[in-house]
Amino acid sequence: MSDLETFRAETAAWLEANCPPEMREPMTGEEDAVWGGRNATFKPGQKEWLDIMAAKGWTVPDWPKEYGGGGLSRAEAKILGQEMARLKCRSPLSSFGIWMLGPALLHFGTEAQKKHFLPPIARGEIRWCQGYSEPGSGSDLASLQTSAVDKGDHFLINGQKIWTSYADKADWIFCLTRTDKNEKHKGISFMLFDMTSEGVSTKPIVLISGQSAFCETFFDDVKVPKEYGEGVSSVVYEVNKGWDVAKYLLGHERSMISGGGSEGATSLGAKFADQVGRDEMGRLDDPMLRAQMAEMDIEVLAFRAMAERFGDTFKAGLCHPAQPNMMKYAGTEINKRRHELIMSAGGSEVLEWESDATNGGMTARSWLRTKANSIEGGTSEVMLNVISKQILRLPGA
Amino acid sequence: MPLYLNDDQQMLHDSAAEFMKGEAPVAHLREFRDKQCKDGFSHALWKQFAEMGFTGIMIGEDEGGLGLGHIEAGVVLEEIGRNLTPSPFLTTAVAGVEALNAGGKALRDKYFPGILAGETVLGLAIDEGAKHRPDQIGMAATREGNGFKLDGKKQFVVQGGSADMLIVAARTSGAAGDDKGLTLFAVDANAAGVSRDSARLVDSAMAAHVQFDGVTVDADAVIGEVDDGDTVLRRLLNAGRAGAAAETLGVGAGSMDITVDYIKGRSQFGELIGSFQALQHRISHLYSEMEIARAAVLKAQQMLDEGSSKADLMVSVAKAKAGKATSLSVKEGVQMHGGVGMTDEYDIGLYMKRDRALQEFMGDVNYHTNLVAEMHGY
C-alpha cells in the first residue's frame, strides 16, 4: 500500500473507533453545530468529539502542528475529509476562527500572534466574530467609518458594525477600523479585541426567516490595547494596511459561502420523488417539477466539478485571483434556486412555521435564509462587477 | 488527478490552438462554404490533422497511435470549436475510433491505418428520426448465410456523404425500445444497396440521409458482439457526447471572446458599450456559466479516462451544461453585436449556427436532462 492508502485505512479505522455515535447522525438544524467558545453548551457527544479531534489537530488538519493543527499534507487533509464524509462524521467545530481569521493570521500574522491566537481557535476555546460591514457602507466595504484613534498604549474605538454574525455569542472580534480618515483603502486597520471589553454592545437583528444569526454591534469608547503580551500586537499586519488582510479574508469567505452550491450532493429529484408522487413509469409525476429538478441536478453536479477544479487550480496557483468572486456568485445563485425547488417539492406541508412536524419551519426558514447568500460577503452584482473589471477587463472604473 | 490540464496536455493544447488558428480559422470555414464544397471539409486539412498526430490520439500506441484519451481528444475539439474548423475529427477519430477500440483486431487493422494517415473518414449511422433516440433504433439486420442483411434508413450522418465506412447501429433481435438486441456493423459506404443523400446544414457541414436496401455484410463486419451492440454503442456515444461537449465549449468560449473584444471597442452615446453595467453583468454571468461548463466537461472526460462507473452521468451533465452555456454565449453574442451581429460579414452568426448543429448531435439539453433524471431514478 502507498503511504496515502495506509493513511486512509488508518484514518478510517480511527474515525470508526473514536467518533461518538451521536456525531454520526445527520444534523437536524443549525443548533446542532458546535461553535465552541467560552460560553459553549454541548449536546451529548459534541464535547468529546471536539476534544478528541482537537487533540489530534484535526479540527484544522492542514495547519502546522505548532499552532494546534494536524500538520497534514493537502492530500492527507483531503482524505480525512473524504473519510469523514463517507463515515458521516460531523464536523467537530464550526468556527469563523478556522474559516476566516486563521487563514488570515497564517498569512499575515507575526510568529507571536500565531502562537497566541491560533491554538485556542483550533481547540474551539475562543469563538470569533467578524466586524466588517457598517450601516450605509454595504458592499462598498472600504467606505467604513468606525474609528480607531491612537492613544499611545491603546486605540480608542467608536462606531457601529452591522451584520456581525453571532456577535452576541462571540468572545472576540476581528474588526476593520479606520485609522486614517484621509485615505479610503489605505486608512483601514485589522484589529483583534475582546467582546467583553467595556463599551462593546450587541443587538440581534431578526430576519425574514424569523431567526437571527446577525447582530448590530456598537463600540462606545472601547479601549483596545496595542499589545496582548510581548510581541502580540492587536493589529494584524500593519496599521493602515488592513485592507490587504480584508481582501485576502474575503477571498476565503467568498469561496466558503459559495460552498452552498455543493452542499446538494444528493439529487433533489431522487430525494423528493416518492414524497411528491410517481407515475406508472416510476417518474416523478409532476413533469415540470421533474424537469426543473433534473436541471438542478445538472447545475449542482457541474458546479461541484467547478468547485473541485477551483480548489485544484487555486492550490496550484493557476487560477485568476478574482475567481473566488465567480465561485461566490455562481454558488449562491444555485443555492437560492435549489431552495426554491425544495419549497416547491414540499408543497403546503413545509409552510407550517412553528409546528413540530416541520421541525419549527426548518425548510421554510432555510429557504428564506438562502436569500442572504447573494447579499452577504458582497452582493452578486458586486461579484459581477469584479469579474467584469478584473477578469474580462471591461472598460470603466 | 487534479482537474486541470497537466503539462503534456497543455503542450497539446498549445499546438492544437496554434494549428487551428493558423491552418483552419473561421476564414477557412467561409472559404469551403462559399465554394459549395461537396464534402464540407478539406481533405488536405484532414491529412494535416494526421501529420500533427491528432487522428491517432485515441488509437493505441501498439497500433501506431498516441494512446491518449478523452481529455486529449477534448483539447483538440475545443480548438476545433473555437475556430469553427470543419473536419471529420469528432465522428472519425473520436467516436468512430472509440467504437472500433471496443471491437476486434481485424477491424482495427483494416481501418486504423487509413485514419492514422488522414485518408479514411467514418460516418456514424445512429439516428433514425429528427431527434436523437438511440433507445428507439429499429433498423433491421437479419441473419443471412454467413452474415447479415441490412434494411432501413438513417439520418444526420455527419459527413456521411464522404465517409469510407459507416458504423451502423441495427437490430439483430427484439424491437425498438428493447434494452438488448442491437448490433453495430462496420459497413463499406460504397457497398451495393447503400444510397446516400447529402445536404448542407445550417453550419455548412454536410450530413447524409442514408438508405440501406438489402445491404449484405459478412459476420466480420460486426463490431463487438451480436445482440450486445449496446456495449459498443455506449462507448461510441460517450466519446461522441463528451467530444461534442468539448467542441461546444470551444464554440461558446470563442463566441464569448469575440463578443468581449467587440464591446471593448464599440462606442455608443459617446462611451464604449463594454462600460455599461447592463452588458457587464450579463457577460460576466456568461463567463461564470462557461467556467462551470468547462469544469463539467473536463470532469466527464477524466471519468471516462478513469473508467468510472459514474461517467455516463457526468457525460450527460457535460453535454447539457456545455449546451446551455454555449447557447447563452451565442445568443448574447449576436445581441451584443447589435445590427452587425445579423450580418454574414461578422463571425458571431457562424458561432450561433455551429452551436445549433452541435446541440442536436447525440442528444440536446432536454434529452440529457431527462437522462440525468432517469439515472437518478425519478
Side-chain angles (χ1 to χ4, degrees), chain B residues 72-373:
Chain B
E72 288 83 0
V75 162
V76 174
L77 280 161
E78 184 178 342
E79 295 313 309
I80 286 175
R82 193 184 298 276
N83 293 281
L84 305 181
T85 306
S87 85
F89 181 77
L90 175 56
T91 50
T92 301
V94 182
V97 163
E98 183 67 354
L100 291 172
N101 277 333
K105 188 171 183 304
L107 282 175
R108 296 202 299 274
D109 286 347
K110 185 172 176 186
Y111 293 107
F112 280 179
I115 294 171
L116 285 166
E119 287 164 358
T120 298
V121 170
L122 308 185
L124 308 174
I126 312 291
D127 291 351
E128 297 179 0
K131 300 299 282 186
H132 178 67
R133 295 285 181 268
D135 54 327
Q136 295 295 322
I137 289 170
M139 177 175 162
T142 41
R143 280 186 188 276
E144 193 176 82
N146 178 34
F148 297 85
K149 184 166 73 71
L150 307 179
D151 287 284
K153 283 181 189 170
K154 294 285 182 178
Q155 66 185 60
F156 198 33
V157 183
V158 178
Q159 276 116 21
S162 46
D164 303 283
M165 183 270 268
L166 301 168
I167 296 179
V168 184
R171 286 218 158 266
T172 35
S173 66
D178 290 352
D179 288 342
K180 290 283 168 193
L182 283 182
T183 304
L184 264 67
F185 298 93
V187 180
D188 183 338
N190 296 307
V194 175
S195 53
R196 293 177 281 173
D197 181 14
S198 281
R200 189 171 305 282
L201 304 180
V202 67
D203 67 338
S204 176
M206 299 300 287
H209 290 259
V210 185
Q211 174 91 32
F212 299 84
D213 289 317
V215 177
T216 56
V217 291
D218 289 343
D220 58 14
V222 172
I223 309 173
E225 303 292 326
V226 175
D227 279 351
D228 191 31
D230 199 50
T231 311
V232 186
L233 183 60
R234 211 169 113 181
R235 277 183 72 168
L236 181 157
L237 291 176
N238 273 337
R241 289 164 177 173
E247 186 175 340
T248 304
L249 188 72
V251 172
S255 151
M256 182 177 78
D257 286 351
I258 61 173
T259 304
V260 169
D261 279 350
Y262 182 77
I263 66 174
K264 280 178 180 174
R266 165 75 170 161
S267 290
Q268 286 274 269
F269 309 107
E271 286 183 63
L272 293 171
I273 63 173
S275 68
F276 299 155
Q277 202 175 50
L279 297 195
Q280 289 187 344
H281 282 190
R282 276 160 48 197
I283 204 147
S284 293
H285 168 71
L286 169 61
Y287 167 80
S288 162
E289 292 292 289
M290 291 304 306
E291 284 292 295
I292 297 172
R294 173 175 303 284
V297 171
L298 195 54
K299 184 73 185 173
Q301 292 161 340
Q302 196 179 76
M303 288 170 84
L304 284 174
D305 285 336
E306 287 168 351
S308 162
S309 61
K310 289 188 177 160
D312 290 10
L313 175 65
M314 205 61 209
V315 167
S316 280
V317 168
K319 180 76 167 75
K321 186 66 201 181
K324 285 170 86 166
T326 296
S327 283
L328 180 70
S329 178
V330 297
K331 283 183 282 195
E332 289 286 43
V334 168
Q335 178 67 20
M336 290 189 192
H337 273 73
V340 298
M342 297 303 299
T343 65
D344 185 64
E345 182 190 342
Y346 277 74
D347 289 341
I348 189 69
L350 299 174
Y351 282 87
M352 179 170 268
K353 292 172 183 176
R354 176 63 59 83
D355 170 58
R356 188 86 282 283
L358 282 168
Q359 293 282 336
E360 292 303 324
F361 186 79
M362 291 192 174
D364 64 7
V365 173
N366 290 339
Y367 176 85
H368 287 287
T369 305
N370 181 57
L371 269 192
V372 166

Side-chain angles (χ1 to χ4, degrees), chain A residues 78 267-270 273 278 282-284 289-291 293-295 297-299 301-309 312-313 316 318 320 323 326 329-330 334 337 380-385 387-389 391-396, chain B residues 1-5 256 260 263-264 272-277 279-285 287-289 291-296 298-299 302 313-314 316-318 320-321 324 365-366 368-374 376-378:
Chain A
K78 196 169 175 181
S267 156
L268 280 188
R278 290 178 187 265
R283 292 179 172 173
L284 198 151
L289 188 59
R290 176 178 184 267
M293 288 195 165
E295 284 174 0
D297 284 351
I298 286 168
E299 294 300 330
L301 288 168
F303 182 83
R304 283 176 71 202
M306 188 177 71
E308 181 183 340
R309 179 171 158 79
D312 290 344
T313 52
L318 294 171
H320 191 286
Q323 281 296 83
M326 187 273 288
Y329 168 69
I334 289 174
R337 277 158 53 206
S380 284
E381 288 71 22
V382 165
M383 298 304 115
L384 292 171
N385 285 348
I387 296 168
S388 300
K389 307 290 185 316
I391 298 179
L392 300 178
R393 302 272 169 204
L394 290 168
Chain B
M1 210 192 302
L3 207 55
Y4 53 82
L5 299 182
M256 182 177 78
V260 169
I263 66 174
K264 280 178 180 174
L272 293 171
I273 63 173
S275 68
F276 299 155
Q277 202 175 50
L279 297 195
Q280 289 187 344
H281 282 190
R282 276 160 48 197
I283 204 147
S284 293
H285 168 71
Y287 167 80
S288 162
E289 292 292 289
E291 284 292 295
I292 297 172
R294 173 175 303 284
L298 195 54
K299 184 73 185 173
Q302 196 179 76
L313 175 65
M314 205 61 209
S316 280
V317 168
K321 186 66 201 181
K324 285 170 86 166
V365 173
N366 290 339
H368 287 287
T369 305
N370 181 57
L371 269 192
V372 166
E374 283 183 1
H376 277 149
Y378 65 93

Side-chain angles (χ1 to χ4, degrees), chain A residues 120-136:
Chain A
I121 289 174
R123 293 192 296 265
E125 291 165 0
I126 296 292
R127 182 169 180 176
W128 288 85
C129 67
Q130 163 178 272
Y132 267 37
S133 298
E134 296 187 6

Side-chain angles (χ1 to χ4, degrees), chain A residues 43 76 88 139 162 183 192 209 225 227 300-301 311 316:
Chain A
K43 291 184 177 180
E76 288 169 336
K88 302 191 165 61
S139 287
I162 195 166
E183 294 276 354
L192 313 176
S209 65
E227 280 200 3
V300 168
L301 288 168

